[in-house]
Amino acid sequence: LGWAIEFLQAFFLVADDVMDESQTRRDQPCWYKRSEVGNIAINDSFLLESFVYFMIDTHFGTEEYHKQLITLFQEVVLQTE
């Protein structure tokens, strides 16, 4: 579950940097500022978000609380975007 949270955070950070046109993150160039990345970073952020739900489904899909986990993560995304 910790990895899902980390990937969710990465999704938020990559997307936020592109939207805000940030130049650096943690004293390094933002992901989208790398010459080989550019606007592909938008797709990368979508992949990161998708991996969150893939991990939850893979590791918690048979648990009775699976639906609640998905709902919780969706609520966080909706409140953060």
Side-chain angles (χ1 to χ4, degrees):
L1 188 58
W3 280 109
I5 295 168
E6 290 294 327
F7 272 62
L8 189 66
Q9 173 75 2
F11 155 61
F12 290 144
L13 294 177
V14 171
D16 183 66
D17 287 346
V18 173
M19 288 185 279
D20 294 345
E21 298 179 350
S22 298
Q23 300 298 307
T24 60
R25 174 155 307 276
R26 299 183 184 125
D27 296 323
Q28 298 293 318
C30 292
W31 179 243
Y32 84 97
K33 295 301 284 181
R34 297 178 56 109
S35 61
E36 70 274 18
V37 178
N39 285 336
I40 296 298
I42 297 166
N43 292 344
D44 293 343
S45 71
F46 294 150
L47 283 171
L48 288 165
E49 183 185 22
S50 296
F51 290 150
V52 168
Y53 299 105
F54 176 80
M55 284 186 273
I56 292 172
D57 287 344
T58 299
H59 298 287
F60 302 100
T62 60
E63 301 295 337
E64 63 183 48
Y65 52 83
H66 174 259
K67 183 180 177 196
Q68 287 86 357
L69 271 179
I70 295 293
T71 300
L72 176 63
F73 274 77
Q74 288 172 335
E75 288 174 357
V76 169
V77 169
L78 288 172
Q79 291 177 13
T80 304
E81 290 182 337

